[in-house]
């Protein structure tokens, strides 16, 4: 029988250690909260709630030779960003499709989330 709790315990400890030891950076997670009419542009404009979260950066520019089979399996292409977030620190459930309307702001550059892949309930890969 598969003992998920044992794997989760060790995997969670490893991830927590990486996050604790400074392998992270702070980014702004913009969670879509709705939209409202903006008369200055004559259209509805999305509204967001901002959260500062810790992430590990996967690999910002995987050159043509470097993509792993795991990254290929989740649809990751060379040159895309991959953020790794602790599952319990993500402001939105990664299984909620609204996450694809959320944004990541990293060094004043805003990225749209293209894919969110939870790994058990330990971490989430955010592809932007």
């Amino acid at each position: 029988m598969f003992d998920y709790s044992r794997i989760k315990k060790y995997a969670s400890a490893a991830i927590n250690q990486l996050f604790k030891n400074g392998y992270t950076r702070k980014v702004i997670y913009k969670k879509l909260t709705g939209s409202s009419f903006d008369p200055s542009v004559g259209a509805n404009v999305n509204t967001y709630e901002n959260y500062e979260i810790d992430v590990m950066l996967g690999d910002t520019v995987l050159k043509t030779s470097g993509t792993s089979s795991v990254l290929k399996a989740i649809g990751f292409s060379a040159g895309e960003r991959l953020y790794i977030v602790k599952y319990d620190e993500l402001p939105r459930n990664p299984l909620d499709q609204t996450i694809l309307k959320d944004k990541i702001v990293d060094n004043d550059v805003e990225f749209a989330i293209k894919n969110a892949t939870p790994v058990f309930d330990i971490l989430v890969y955010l592809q932007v």
Side-chain angles (χ1 to χ4, degrees):
M1 180 190 266
F2 183 75
D3 186 4
Y4 169 72
S5 64
R6 187 170 179 184
I7 291 173
K8 180 181 176 185
K9 174 184 171 185
Y10 289 109
S12 292
I15 294 300
N16 287 335
Q17 195 65 31
L18 289 171
F19 273 77
K20 180 181 170 186
N21 285 337
Y23 294 103
T24 62
R25 64 196 291 165
K26 299 247 184 238
V27 298
I28 302 298
Y29 184 95
K30 294 177 70 172
K31 180 181 176 182
L32 180 70
T33 57
S35 65
S36 60
F37 184 75
D38 184 347
S40 67
V41 294
N44 282 343
V45 176
N46 289 337
T47 55
Y48 296 90
E49 188 172 345
N50 292 343
Y51 298 85
E52 187 176 74
I53 62 171
D54 288 317
V55 299
M56 286 191 298
L57 191 57
D59 198 342
T60 57
V61 184
L62 290 174
K63 299 296 182 190
T64 54
S65 64
T67 56
S68 75
S69 59
V70 171
L71 295 177
K72 287 179 183 174
I74 65 170
F76 189 85
S77 301
E80 295 179 320
R81 286 182 180 256
L82 183 69
Y83 293 97
I84 301 166
V85 184
K86 290 170 79 173
Y87 189 99
D88 57 355
E89 292 184 10
L90 192 63
R92 186 183 303 281
N93 181 333
L95 300 176
D96 179 348
Q97 288 301 303
T98 308
I99 198 167
L100 300 179
K101 296 181 181 181
D102 294 347
K103 311 278 185 192
I104 298 284
V105 179
D106 187 1
N107 289 326
D108 297 324
V109 179
E110 185 173 278
F111 299 97
I113 296 174
K114 296 178 185 176
N115 193 15
T117 306
V119 178
F120 298 110
D121 58 351
I122 300 169
L123 56 90
V124 179
Y125 290 111
L126 295 176
Q127 178 185 349
V128 299

